[in-house]
Amino acid sequence: MKAKLATFAVMLSFWAILSGMFDAFHLSLGVICCLLVALFSGEMLFEGLRVEVRVKQIFGMLAYFPWLLWAIVLSSLQVAYIVLHPQMLDKMEPQLIRFKTKLKSNFARVTFAQSITLTPGTITVSLQDDEMTVYALTRSAAESLPGEMERRIARALEPEEA
Amino acid sequence: MNWLVTLLMVSGVFFFAIGTIGILRLPDFYSRLHAAGKCDTLAATLAVSAIALYNLHDLSFASILVSWKVFFIVFFIFMASPTATHAITKAALIVGVEPWQRKGTRK
Amino acid sequence: MMSQVFLSVALALVMLIFLTLVRALGGPTVLDRIVGVNMIGTKTTVLLLLIGLIYENMPMFIDIALAYAFLNFIATIGACKYFRRSKRVHLEDDLAIEKEASA
């Protein structure tokens, strides 16, 4: 029930921003649509009844976001360096690496995989249970994993276990 | 304000250009994904937030609403771009596209 | 003054789209083409927003850009799912097999 209510609230605010009309007709249409969606698929956005945990995770994400943005800037500059280097093939040493992540929840794991894709020299290839396969562009990028990012995500998204 | 918008936009175009040069120059499929995934995400974020900032120069309810929508696009690109990269990489691995190796290290 | 900035940025984006089109048309594998088309889609989203700024019609073009971003993502995922099942992504292989069949 709590999950359905929370889904309804999120959906309705999304509707209000997207439609931009605040007269009675459009708002009532939005309420009807959001009620239907919340009734039929209320458990998808908040798995189970852990609304409080999800809200805590959202604030953790907000704290994690600036660091991620900085990492993306660094990684783009690194790609720029490699791409604009005349002998770029000497700079590259592509390799596939596998490792196990310590993160427990699906949400944290997916966030970790996305972050790996966005940080210097690495992209996630596959994520099965706790085993991740990562394609690294250089050796130094391969050695920096899992490292600091996993700790930061664990602090942001799984505070009770850290 | 205008200077900040121009700066953000020009840096966005710069990273778009890096991504495009990267996708043309890099030797194999997987390293091209590096250029595509990272530079495009950052460039789109920069350019779109510049547009959102510029849109706020006349503060009214409608323009704030439009800026919110623009930030939705930023948020969506942030989530969608790594996911698309991941899907393409996985498809390539399953199909069996060969990664580029430096000469001599190939088994 | 700002509209000139937007116009030049939009022109630069169009030129970059043409450069990306080289990869999308000539990429050795089908997956290269998907990456190229995905990048063109990202650029087009930004380009649509810029067109909205230039014509001072943001509320309309923002919806178009949003829909285009969603569509671009879904098209990429769908194409990946489709080509995951096919064993041949090199166009040259296709041509060779066709030649064998006709010979």
Side-chain angles (χ1 to χ4, degrees), chain A residues 14 17-18 20 22 72 75-76 83 85-86 88-90 92 94 114 117 119 121-122 124-125 135, chain B residues 15 18 21-22 25 27 30-31 34 38 42 61 65 69 72 78-79 82-83 86 89 93 100 102:
Chain A
F14 197 66
I17 290 171
L18 279 191
F22 292 96
I72 296 170
S75 76
S76 293
V83 163
H85 199 278
M88 63 176 173
L89 294 189
D90 297 340
M92 290 169 48
Q114 303 269 55
T117 302
T119 41
T122 45
T124 311
V125 176
Y135 176 81
Chain B
F15 281 115
I18 294 288
I21 297 170
R25 262 198 85 193
Y30 295 96
S31 49
H34 280 273
K38 289 170 232 246
L42 180 67
F61 182 65
L65 212 60
K69 279 196 213 173
F72 263 133
F78 236 88
M79 292 203 307
T83 314
H86 174 75
T89 327
L93 265 195
W100 177 85
R102 193 179 295 177

mmCIF file of all heavy atoms in Angstrom, chain A residues 14 17-18 20 22 72 75-76 83 85-86 88-90 92 94 114 117 119 121-122 124-125 135, chain B residues 15 18 21-22 25 27 30-31 34 38 42 61 65 69 72 78-79 82-83 86 89 93 100 102:
data_model
loop_
_atom_site.group_PDB
_atom_site.id
_atom_site.type_symbol
_atom_site.label_atom_id
_atom_site.label_comp_id
_atom_site.label_asym_id
_atom_site.label_seq_id
_atom_site.Cartn_x
_atom_site.Cartn_y
_atom_site.Cartn_z
ATOM 1 N N PHE A 14 5.464 13.768 -11.905
ATOM 2 C CA PHE A 14 6.010 13.626 -13.254
ATOM 3 C C PHE A 14 5.001 14.122 -14.291
ATOM 4 O O PHE A 14 5.349 14.877 -15.207
ATOM 5 C CB PHE A 14 6.340 12.151 -13.484
ATOM 6 C CG PHE A 14 7.247 11.895 -14.632
ATOM 7 C CD1 PHE A 14 8.559 12.340 -14.611
ATOM 8 C CD2 PHE A 14 6.803 11.206 -15.740
ATOM 9 C CE1 PHE A 14 9.396 12.102 -15.673
ATOM 10 C CE2 PHE A 14 7.642 10.969 -16.802
ATOM 11 C CZ PHE A 14 8.936 11.422 -16.766
ATOM 12 N N ILE A 17 4.717 17.983 -14.268
ATOM 13 C CA ILE A 17 5.822 18.676 -14.929
ATOM 14 C C ILE A 17 5.744 18.500 -16.432
ATOM 15 O O ILE A 17 5.942 19.440 -17.197
ATOM 16 C CB ILE A 17 7.164 18.157 -14.372
ATOM 17 C CG1 ILE A 17 7.339 18.615 -12.940
ATOM 18 C CG2 ILE A 17 8.320 18.669 -15.211
ATOM 19 C CD1 ILE A 17 8.495 17.990 -12.249
ATOM 20 N N LEU A 18 5.416 17.292 -16.868
ATOM 21 C CA LEU A 18 5.427 17.050 -18.309
ATOM 22 C C LEU A 18 4.271 17.736 -19.019
ATOM 23 O O LEU A 18 4.429 18.216 -20.138
ATOM 24 C CB LEU A 18 5.378 15.549 -18.605
ATOM 25 C CG LEU A 18 6.693 14.806 -18.499
ATOM 26 C CD1 LEU A 18 6.539 13.426 -19.082
ATOM 27 C CD2 LEU A 18 7.783 15.533 -19.241
ATOM 28 N N GLY A 20 2.326 20.447 -17.878
ATOM 29 C CA GLY A 20 2.400 21.896 -17.764
ATOM 30 C C GLY A 20 1.050 22.580 -17.740
ATOM 31 O O GLY A 20 0.977 23.799 -17.810
ATOM 32 N N PHE A 22 -2.485 23.159 -15.574
ATOM 33 C CA PHE A 22 -2.955 22.969 -14.203
ATOM 34 C C PHE A 22 -4.437 23.247 -14.048
ATOM 35 O O PHE A 22 -4.897 23.578 -12.975
ATOM 36 C CB PHE A 22 -2.132 23.837 -13.240
ATOM 37 C CG PHE A 22 -0.720 23.371 -13.151
ATOM 38 C CD1 PHE A 22 0.274 23.953 -13.926
ATOM 39 C CD2 PHE A 22 -0.382 22.320 -12.319
ATOM 40 C CE1 PHE A 22 1.573 23.505 -13.856
ATOM 41 C CE2 PHE A 22 0.923 21.868 -12.256
ATOM 42 C CZ PHE A 22 1.894 22.457 -13.020
ATOM 43 N N ILE A 72 33.452 11.668 -14.593
ATOM 44 C CA ILE A 72 33.137 11.655 -16.026
ATOM 45 C C ILE A 72 33.961 12.683 -16.771
ATOM 46 O O ILE A 72 34.467 12.431 -17.870
ATOM 47 C CB ILE A 72 31.635 11.900 -16.239
ATOM 48 C CG1 ILE A 72 30.835 10.765 -15.641
ATOM 49 C CG2 ILE A 72 31.315 12.004 -17.702
ATOM 50 C CD1 ILE A 72 29.387 11.048 -15.603
ATOM 51 N N SER A 75 37.336 11.249 -17.192
ATOM 52 C CA SER A 75 37.409 10.166 -18.175
ATOM 53 C C SER A 75 37.302 10.712 -19.588
ATOM 54 O O SER A 75 37.973 10.234 -20.500
ATOM 55 C CB SER A 75 36.313 9.147 -17.918
ATOM 56 O OG SER A 75 35.084 9.622 -18.363
ATOM 57 N N SER A 76 36.476 11.754 -19.783
ATOM 58 C CA SER A 76 36.371 12.326 -21.125
ATOM 59 C C SER A 76 37.681 12.972 -21.532
ATOM 60 O O SER A 76 38.097 12.869 -22.690
ATOM 61 C CB SER A 76 35.254 13.355 -21.167
ATOM 62 O OG SER A 76 34.032 12.732 -20.983
ATOM 63 N N VAL A 83 42.602 9.975 -27.963
ATOM 64 C CA VAL A 83 42.119 10.132 -29.329
ATOM 65 C C VAL A 83 42.974 11.124 -30.107
ATOM 66 O O VAL A 83 43.283 10.909 -31.281
ATOM 67 C CB VAL A 83 40.646 10.585 -29.297
ATOM 68 C CG1 VAL A 83 40.234 11.154 -30.632
ATOM 69 C CG2 VAL A 83 39.754 9.430 -28.950
ATOM 70 N N HIS A 85 46.084 11.893 -29.533
ATOM 71 C CA HIS A 85 47.503 11.562 -29.554
ATOM 72 C C HIS A 85 47.860 10.987 -30.925
ATOM 73 O O HIS A 85 47.163 10.114 -31.431
ATOM 74 C CB HIS A 85 47.801 10.551 -28.449
ATOM 75 C CG HIS A 85 49.242 10.494 -28.081
ATOM 76 N ND1 HIS A 85 50.148 9.772 -28.809
ATOM 77 C CD2 HIS A 85 49.923 11.061 -27.075
ATOM 78 C CE1 HIS A 85 51.346 9.912 -28.264
ATOM 79 N NE2 HIS A 85 51.234 10.694 -27.214
ATOM 80 N N PRO A 86 48.952 11.469 -31.541
ATOM 81 C CA PRO A 86 49.274 10.971 -32.890
ATOM 82 C C PRO A 86 49.545 9.470 -32.926
ATOM 83 O O PRO A 86 49.100 8.775 -33.845
ATOM 84 C CB PRO A 86 50.525 11.753 -33.267
ATOM 85 C CG PRO A 86 50.553 12.923 -32.354
ATOM 86 C CD PRO A 86 49.839 12.547 -31.119
ATOM 87 N N MET A 88 48.359 6.931 -31.065
ATOM 88 C CA MET A 88 47.480 6.516 -29.978
ATOM 89 C C MET A 88 47.536 5.018 -29.719
ATOM 90 O O MET A 88 47.248 4.568 -28.626
ATOM 91 C CB MET A 88 46.054 6.914 -30.306
ATOM 92 C CG MET A 88 45.509 6.232 -31.520
ATOM 93 S SD MET A 88 43.825 6.673 -31.727
ATOM 94 C CE MET A 88 43.501 5.924 -33.291
ATOM 95 N N LEU A 89 47.955 4.231 -30.702
ATOM 96 C CA LEU A 89 47.952 2.785 -30.483
ATOM 97 C C LEU A 89 48.944 2.390 -29.402
ATOM 98 O O LEU A 89 48.764 1.373 -28.732
ATOM 99 C CB LEU A 89 48.270 2.054 -31.786
ATOM 100 C CG LEU A 89 47.217 2.210 -32.859
ATOM 101 C CD1 LEU A 89 47.496 1.277 -34.015
ATOM 102 C CD2 LEU A 89 45.841 1.913 -32.300
ATOM 103 N N ASP A 90 50.020 3.215 -29.206
ATOM 104 C CA ASP A 90 50.985 2.895 -28.151
ATOM 105 C C ASP A 90 50.396 3.099 -26.764
ATOM 106 O O ASP A 90 50.859 2.515 -25.784
ATOM 107 C CB ASP A 90 52.230 3.777 -28.296
ATOM 108 C CG ASP A 90 52.943 3.501 -29.602
ATOM 109 O OD1 ASP A 90 52.694 2.413 -30.156
ATOM 110 O OD2 ASP A 90 53.719 4.352 -30.051
ATOM 111 N N MET A 92 47.405 2.404 -25.836
ATOM 112 C CA MET A 92 46.319 1.500 -25.481
ATOM 113 C C MET A 92 46.829 0.104 -25.168
ATOM 114 O O MET A 92 47.813 -0.358 -25.733
ATOM 115 C CB MET A 92 45.327 1.414 -26.638
ATOM 116 C CG MET A 92 44.545 2.675 -26.818
ATOM 117 S SD MET A 92 43.664 2.647 -28.336
ATOM 118 C CE MET A 92 42.934 1.037 -28.252
ATOM 119 N N PRO A 94 44.291 -2.845 -24.405
ATOM 120 C CA PRO A 94 42.961 -3.309 -24.006
ATOM 121 C C PRO A 94 42.992 -4.694 -23.360
ATOM 122 O O PRO A 94 43.801 -5.548 -23.736
ATOM 123 C CB PRO A 94 42.173 -3.349 -25.324
ATOM 124 C CG PRO A 94 43.099 -3.041 -26.384
ATOM 125 C CD PRO A 94 44.427 -2.745 -25.849
ATOM 126 N N GLN A 114 26.952 1.096 -13.957
ATOM 127 C CA GLN A 114 26.832 2.332 -14.731
ATOM 128 C C GLN A 114 28.015 3.242 -14.466
ATOM 129 O O GLN A 114 28.576 3.844 -15.391
ATOM 130 C CB GLN A 114 25.551 3.079 -14.342
ATOM 131 C CG GLN A 114 24.293 2.301 -14.494
ATOM 132 C CD GLN A 114 23.689 2.486 -15.852
ATOM 133 O OE1 GLN A 114 24.342 2.250 -16.824
ATOM 134 N NE2 GLN A 114 22.443 2.888 -15.914
ATOM 135 N N THR A 117 31.096 2.207 -16.261
ATOM 136 C CA THR A 117 31.049 2.591 -17.667
ATOM 137 C C THR A 117 31.414 4.063 -17.847
ATOM 138 O O THR A 117 32.031 4.434 -18.840
ATOM 139 C CB THR A 117 29.649 2.332 -18.224
ATOM 140 O OG1 THR A 117 29.358 0.957 -18.045
ATOM 141 C CG2 THR A 117 29.570 2.657 -19.681
ATOM 142 N N THR A 119 33.429 5.977 -15.906
ATOM 143 C CA THR A 119 34.697 6.470 -15.361
ATOM 144 C C THR A 119 35.869 6.037 -16.241
ATOM 145 O O THR A 119 35.721 5.174 -17.084
ATOM 146 C CB THR A 119 34.902 5.974 -13.924
ATOM 147 O OG1 THR A 119 34.494 4.633 -13.867
ATOM 148 C CG2 THR A 119 34.128 6.806 -12.956
ATOM 149 N N GLY A 121 38.475 4.932 -18.748
ATOM 150 C CA GLY A 121 39.090 3.768 -19.349
ATOM 151 C C GLY A 121 38.426 2.423 -19.151
ATOM 152 O O GLY A 121 39.023 1.417 -19.471
ATOM 153 N N THR A 122 37.220 2.384 -18.624
ATOM 154 C CA THR A 122 36.611 1.078 -18.384
ATOM 155 C C THR A 122 35.155 1.093 -18.828
ATOM 156 O O THR A 122 34.463 2.086 -18.673
ATOM 157 C CB THR A 122 36.641 0.714 -16.889
ATOM 158 O OG1 THR A 122 36.242 1.857 -16.143
ATOM 159 C CG2 THR A 122 37.998 0.292 -16.459
ATOM 160 N N THR A 124 31.655 -1.625 -18.475
ATOM 161 C CA THR A 124 31.147 -2.890 -17.963
ATOM 162 C C THR A 124 30.600 -3.716 -19.121
ATOM 163 O O THR A 124 29.858 -3.210 -19.951
ATOM 164 C CB THR A 124 30.023 -2.650 -16.968
ATOM 165 O OG1 THR A 124 30.455 -1.677 -16.040
ATOM 166 C CG2 THR A 124 29.671 -3.906 -16.252
ATOM 167 N N VAL A 125 30.993 -4.981 -19.165
ATOM 168 C CA VAL A 125 30.500 -5.845 -20.228
ATOM 169 C C VAL A 125 29.327 -6.673 -19.732
ATOM 170 O O VAL A 125 28.285 -6.734 -20.362
ATOM 171 C CB VAL A 125 31.625 -6.750 -20.741
ATOM 172 C CG1 VAL A 125 31.071 -7.711 -21.763
ATOM 173 C CG2 VAL A 125 32.714 -5.912 -21.359
ATOM 174 N N TYR A 135 35.750 -4.306 -19.457
ATOM 175 C CA TYR A 135 36.708 -4.134 -20.535
ATOM 176 C C TYR A 135 37.469 -2.847 -20.267
ATOM 177 O O TYR A 135 36.870 -1.778 -20.177
ATOM 178 C CB TYR A 135 35.981 -4.055 -21.869
ATOM 179 C CG TYR A 135 36.894 -3.792 -23.029
ATOM 180 C CD1 TYR A 135 37.615 -4.831 -23.597
ATOM 181 C CD2 TYR A 135 37.041 -2.528 -23.548
ATOM 182 C CE1 TYR A 135 38.455 -4.603 -24.652
ATOM 183 C CE2 TYR A 135 37.885 -2.293 -24.603
ATOM 184 C CZ TYR A 135 38.591 -3.334 -25.146
ATOM 185 O OH TYR A 135 39.429 -3.098 -26.185
ATOM 186 N N PHE B 15 33.480 18.348 -26.625
ATOM 187 C CA PHE B 15 33.464 16.916 -26.289
ATOM 188 C C PHE B 15 32.700 16.103 -27.325
ATOM 189 O O PHE B 15 33.044 14.946 -27.585
ATOM 190 C CB PHE B 15 32.891 16.701 -24.893
ATOM 191 C CG PHE B 15 33.885 16.994 -23.823
ATOM 192 C CD1 PHE B 15 33.703 18.037 -22.941
ATOM 193 C CD2 PHE B 15 35.029 16.236 -23.713
ATOM 194 C CE1 PHE B 15 34.633 18.314 -21.958
ATOM 195 C CE2 PHE B 15 35.955 16.500 -22.737
ATOM 196 C CZ PHE B 15 35.761 17.548 -21.860
ATOM 197 N N ILE B 18 35.294 15.467 -29.835
ATOM 198 C CA ILE B 18 36.206 14.409 -29.397
ATOM 199 C C ILE B 18 35.573 13.044 -29.618
ATOM 200 O O ILE B 18 36.213 12.115 -30.129
ATOM 201 C CB ILE B 18 36.550 14.589 -27.901
ATOM 202 C CG1 ILE B 18 37.351 15.861 -27.687
ATOM 203 C CG2 ILE B 18 37.317 13.394 -27.382
ATOM 204 C CD1 ILE B 18 38.734 15.794 -28.186
ATOM 205 N N ILE B 21 35.611 12.290 -33.384
ATOM 206 C CA ILE B 21 36.948 11.924 -33.867
ATOM 207 C C ILE B 21 37.331 10.545 -33.345
ATOM 208 O O ILE B 21 37.898 9.721 -34.067
ATOM 209 C CB ILE B 21 37.982 12.984 -33.428
ATOM 210 C CG1 ILE B 21 37.654 14.328 -34.058
ATOM 211 C CG2 ILE B 21 39.385 12.575 -33.840
ATOM 212 C CD1 ILE B 21 38.455 15.454 -33.488
ATOM 213 N N GLY B 22 36.973 10.299 -32.066
ATOM 214 C CA GLY B 22 37.299 9.008 -31.478
ATOM 215 C C GLY B 22 36.635 7.869 -32.209
ATOM 216 O O GLY B 22 37.258 6.849 -32.511
ATOM 217 N N ARG B 25 38.572 7.364 -35.396
ATOM 218 C CA ARG B 25 40.005 7.043 -35.417
ATOM 219 C C ARG B 25 40.365 5.753 -34.691
ATOM 220 O O ARG B 25 41.343 5.102 -35.060
ATOM 221 C CB ARG B 25 40.779 8.189 -34.737
ATOM 222 C CG ARG B 25 41.372 9.183 -35.691
ATOM 223 C CD ARG B 25 42.436 9.994 -35.015
ATOM 224 N NE ARG B 25 43.728 9.336 -35.026
ATOM 225 C CZ ARG B 25 44.757 9.712 -34.286
ATOM 226 N NH1 ARG B 25 44.629 10.723 -33.468
ATOM 227 N NH2 ARG B 25 45.900 9.082 -34.345
ATOM 228 N N PRO B 27 40.904 2.041 -33.177
ATOM 229 C CA PRO B 27 41.097 0.877 -34.040
ATOM 230 C C PRO B 27 40.012 -0.190 -33.985
ATOM 231 O O PRO B 27 39.790 -0.870 -34.975
ATOM 232 C CB PRO B 27 42.422 0.309 -33.548
ATOM 233 C CG PRO B 27 42.513 0.738 -32.147
ATOM 234 C CD PRO B 27 41.858 2.074 -32.083
ATOM 235 N N TYR B 30 35.435 -2.081 -29.511
ATOM 236 C CA TYR B 30 35.278 -1.858 -28.071
ATOM 237 C C TYR B 30 35.844 -0.518 -27.644
ATOM 238 O O TYR B 30 35.284 0.158 -26.786
ATOM 239 C CB TYR B 30 35.939 -2.989 -27.293
ATOM 240 C CG TYR B 30 35.282 -4.305 -27.523
ATOM 241 C CD1 TYR B 30 35.768 -5.190 -28.462
ATOM 242 C CD2 TYR B 30 34.149 -4.653 -26.820
ATOM 243 C CE1 TYR B 30 35.152 -6.392 -28.689
ATOM 244 C CE2 TYR B 30 33.517 -5.856 -27.046
ATOM 245 C CZ TYR B 30 34.026 -6.714 -27.983
ATOM 246 O OH TYR B 30 33.401 -7.892 -28.207
ATOM 247 N N SER B 31 36.988 -0.122 -28.253
ATOM 248 C CA SER B 31 37.539 1.166 -27.842
ATOM 249 C C SER B 31 36.713 2.315 -28.419
ATOM 250 O O SER B 31 36.654 3.383 -27.825
ATOM 251 C CB SER B 31 38.992 1.277 -28.265
ATOM 252 O OG SER B 31 39.128 0.916 -29.605
ATOM 253 N N HIS B 34 34.249 3.405 -25.928
ATOM 254 C CA HIS B 34 34.725 4.334 -24.908
ATOM 255 C C HIS B 34 34.423 5.760 -25.326
ATOM 256 O O HIS B 34 33.864 6.544 -24.571
ATOM 257 C CB HIS B 34 36.235 4.179 -24.712
ATOM 258 C CG HIS B 34 36.591 3.023 -23.862
ATOM 259 N ND1 HIS B 34 36.651 3.114 -22.505
ATOM 260 C CD2 HIS B 34 36.896 1.763 -24.164
ATOM 261 C CE1 HIS B 34 36.986 1.952 -22.011
ATOM 262 N NE2 HIS B 34 37.143 1.097 -22.997
ATOM 263 N N LYS B 38 31.355 7.743 -23.151
ATOM 264 C CA LYS B 38 31.713 8.769 -22.164
ATOM 265 C C LYS B 38 31.574 10.172 -22.701
ATOM 266 O O LYS B 38 30.910 11.020 -22.122
ATOM 267 C CB LYS B 38 33.150 8.554 -21.705
ATOM 268 C CG LYS B 38 33.268 7.340 -20.860
ATOM 269 C CD LYS B 38 34.714 7.041 -20.642
ATOM 270 C CE LYS B 38 34.937 5.628 -21.007
ATOM 271 N NZ LYS B 38 35.302 4.779 -19.947
ATOM 272 N N LEU B 42 28.910 13.224 -21.432
ATOM 273 C CA LEU B 42 29.356 14.493 -20.855
ATOM 274 C C LEU B 42 28.958 15.661 -21.744
ATOM 275 O O LEU B 42 28.464 16.683 -21.251
ATOM 276 C CB LEU B 42 30.870 14.464 -20.662
ATOM 277 C CG LEU B 42 31.426 15.743 -20.060
ATOM 278 C CD1 LEU B 42 30.939 15.888 -18.645
ATOM 279 C CD2 LEU B 42 32.917 15.769 -20.100
ATOM 280 N N PHE B 61 6.923 31.281 -14.541
ATOM 281 C CA PHE B 61 6.541 29.919 -14.181
ATOM 282 C C PHE B 61 6.747 28.967 -15.359
ATOM 283 O O PHE B 61 7.280 27.869 -15.204
ATOM 284 C CB PHE B 61 5.088 29.920 -13.735
ATOM 285 C CG PHE B 61 4.613 28.578 -13.297
ATOM 286 C CD1 PHE B 61 5.163 27.984 -12.167
ATOM 287 C CD2 PHE B 61 3.639 27.908 -13.997
ATOM 288 C CE1 PHE B 61 4.746 26.747 -11.764
ATOM 289 C CE2 PHE B 61 3.218 26.660 -13.596
ATOM 290 C CZ PHE B 61 3.766 26.086 -12.479
ATOM 291 N N LEU B 65 9.233 25.649 -15.682
ATOM 292 C CA LEU B 65 8.701 24.328 -16.038
ATOM 293 C C LEU B 65 9.497 23.718 -17.189
ATOM 294 O O LEU B 65 9.878 22.540 -17.164
ATOM 295 C CB LEU B 65 7.231 24.484 -16.427
ATOM 296 C CG LEU B 65 6.307 23.312 -16.112
ATOM 297 C CD1 LEU B 65 6.306 23.059 -14.636
ATOM 298 C CD2 LEU B 65 4.913 23.620 -16.600
ATOM 299 N N LYS B 69 11.898 20.279 -17.509
ATOM 300 C CA LYS B 69 11.845 19.235 -18.534
ATOM 301 C C LYS B 69 13.210 19.032 -19.150
ATOM 302 O O LYS B 69 13.604 17.892 -19.435
ATOM 303 C CB LYS B 69 10.837 19.640 -19.605
ATOM 304 C CG LYS B 69 9.425 19.359 -19.241
ATOM 305 C CD LYS B 69 8.594 19.421 -20.499
ATOM 306 C CE LYS B 69 7.219 19.945 -20.215
ATOM 307 N NZ LYS B 69 6.475 20.163 -21.445
ATOM 308 N N PHE B 72 15.085 16.857 -17.082
ATOM 309 C CA PHE B 72 14.671 15.467 -17.274
ATOM 310 C C PHE B 72 15.483 14.822 -18.384
ATOM 311 O O PHE B 72 15.901 13.666 -18.282
ATOM 312 C CB PHE B 72 13.189 15.382 -17.619
ATOM 313 C CG PHE B 72 12.334 15.098 -16.441
ATOM 314 C CD1 PHE B 72 11.186 15.817 -16.204
ATOM 315 C CD2 PHE B 72 12.688 14.102 -15.561
ATOM 316 C CE1 PHE B 72 10.406 15.565 -15.105
ATOM 317 C CE2 PHE B 72 11.913 13.846 -14.459
ATOM 318 C CZ PHE B 72 10.769 14.576 -14.233
ATOM 319 N N PHE B 78 21.770 10.573 -18.825
ATOM 320 C CA PHE B 78 22.700 10.018 -17.855
ATOM 321 C C PHE B 78 22.430 8.553 -17.576
ATOM 322 O O PHE B 78 23.352 7.764 -17.380
ATOM 323 C CB PHE B 78 22.584 10.807 -16.545
ATOM 324 C CG PHE B 78 23.858 11.368 -16.083
ATOM 325 C CD1 PHE B 78 24.261 12.607 -16.518
ATOM 326 C CD2 PHE B 78 24.671 10.657 -15.242
ATOM 327 C CE1 PHE B 78 25.449 13.125 -16.114
ATOM 328 C CE2 PHE B 78 25.860 11.173 -14.836
ATOM 329 C CZ PHE B 78 26.252 12.404 -15.270
ATOM 330 N N MET B 79 21.149 8.185 -17.527
ATOM 331 C CA MET B 79 20.853 6.776 -17.266
ATOM 332 C C MET B 79 20.918 5.946 -18.537
ATOM 333 O O MET B 79 21.373 4.816 -18.529
ATOM 334 C CB MET B 79 19.460 6.647 -16.649
ATOM 335 C CG MET B 79 19.371 7.205 -15.281
ATOM 336 S SD MET B 79 18.030 6.493 -14.388
ATOM 337 C CE MET B 79 16.668 6.760 -15.480
ATOM 338 N N PRO B 82 24.865 4.935 -20.546
ATOM 339 C CA PRO B 82 25.625 3.754 -20.127
ATOM 340 C C PRO B 82 24.882 2.462 -20.370
ATOM 341 O O PRO B 82 25.493 1.452 -20.714
ATOM 342 C CB PRO B 82 25.844 3.983 -18.633
ATOM 343 C CG PRO B 82 25.622 5.397 -18.412
ATOM 344 C CD PRO B 82 24.633 5.836 -19.422
ATOM 345 N N THR B 83 23.553 2.494 -20.216
ATOM 346 C CA THR B 83 22.790 1.269 -20.448
ATOM 347 C C THR B 83 22.884 0.838 -21.900
ATOM 348 O O THR B 83 23.068 -0.347 -22.196
ATOM 349 C CB THR B 83 21.325 1.490 -20.067
ATOM 350 O OG1 THR B 83 21.269 2.143 -18.809
ATOM 351 C CG2 THR B 83 20.590 0.200 -19.990
ATOM 352 N N HIS B 86 26.292 -0.584 -22.528
ATOM 353 C CA HIS B 86 26.364 -1.921 -21.948
ATOM 354 C C HIS B 86 25.678 -2.942 -22.841
ATOM 355 O O HIS B 86 26.213 -4.027 -23.110
ATOM 356 C CB HIS B 86 25.705 -1.851 -20.577
ATOM 357 C CG HIS B 86 25.564 -3.150 -19.901
ATOM 358 N ND1 HIS B 86 26.621 -3.789 -19.323
ATOM 359 C CD2 HIS B 86 24.489 -3.934 -19.716
ATOM 360 C CE1 HIS B 86 26.191 -4.917 -18.819
ATOM 361 N NE2 HIS B 86 24.917 -5.029 -19.033
ATOM 362 N N THR B 89 27.803 -3.606 -25.912
ATOM 363 C CA THR B 89 28.984 -4.409 -25.607
ATOM 364 C C THR B 89 28.632 -5.861 -25.434
ATOM 365 O O THR B 89 29.320 -6.762 -25.926
ATOM 366 C CB THR B 89 29.650 -3.910 -24.312
ATOM 367 O OG1 THR B 89 29.483 -2.529 -24.207
ATOM 368 C CG2 THR B 89 31.090 -4.273 -24.285
ATOM 369 N N LEU B 93 29.929 -9.086 -27.521
ATOM 370 C CA LEU B 93 30.637 -10.238 -26.940
ATOM 371 C C LEU B 93 29.948 -11.534 -27.304
ATOM 372 O O LEU B 93 30.600 -12.531 -27.617
ATOM 373 C CB LEU B 93 30.686 -10.101 -25.419
ATOM 374 C CG LEU B 93 31.934 -9.484 -24.817
ATOM 375 C CD1 LEU B 93 31.957 -9.772 -23.342
ATOM 376 C CD2 LEU B 93 33.187 -10.013 -25.465
ATOM 377 N N TRP B 100 40.654 -5.608 -30.452
ATOM 378 C CA TRP B 100 41.965 -5.296 -31.016
ATOM 379 C C TRP B 100 43.035 -5.580 -29.978
ATOM 380 O O TRP B 100 42.873 -5.282 -28.800
ATOM 381 C CB TRP B 100 42.003 -3.825 -31.406
ATOM 382 C CG TRP B 100 43.314 -3.359 -31.919
ATOM 383 C CD1 TRP B 100 43.771 -3.449 -33.184
ATOM 384 C CD2 TRP B 100 44.340 -2.710 -31.181
ATOM 385 N NE1 TRP B 100 45.014 -2.898 -33.289
ATOM 386 C CE2 TRP B 100 45.396 -2.448 -32.082
ATOM 387 C CE3 TRP B 100 44.483 -2.332 -29.841
ATOM 388 C CZ2 TRP B 100 46.571 -1.806 -31.687
ATOM 389 C CZ3 TRP B 100 45.642 -1.710 -29.454
ATOM 390 C CH2 TRP B 100 46.684 -1.452 -30.372
ATOM 391 N N ARG B 102 47.423 -5.425 -29.250
ATOM 392 C CA ARG B 102 48.673 -4.926 -29.802
ATOM 393 C C ARG B 102 49.414 -6.087 -30.464
ATOM 394 O O ARG B 102 49.320 -7.229 -30.013
ATOM 395 C CB ARG B 102 49.540 -4.336 -28.681
ATOM 396 C CG ARG B 102 50.672 -3.533 -29.238
ATOM 397 C CD ARG B 102 51.478 -2.954 -28.122
ATOM 398 N NE ARG B 102 50.670 -1.982 -27.361
ATOM 399 C CZ ARG B 102 51.143 -1.368 -26.288
ATOM 400 N NH1 ARG B 102 52.341 -1.620 -25.853
ATOM 401 N NH2 ARG B 102 50.400 -0.497 -25.655
#
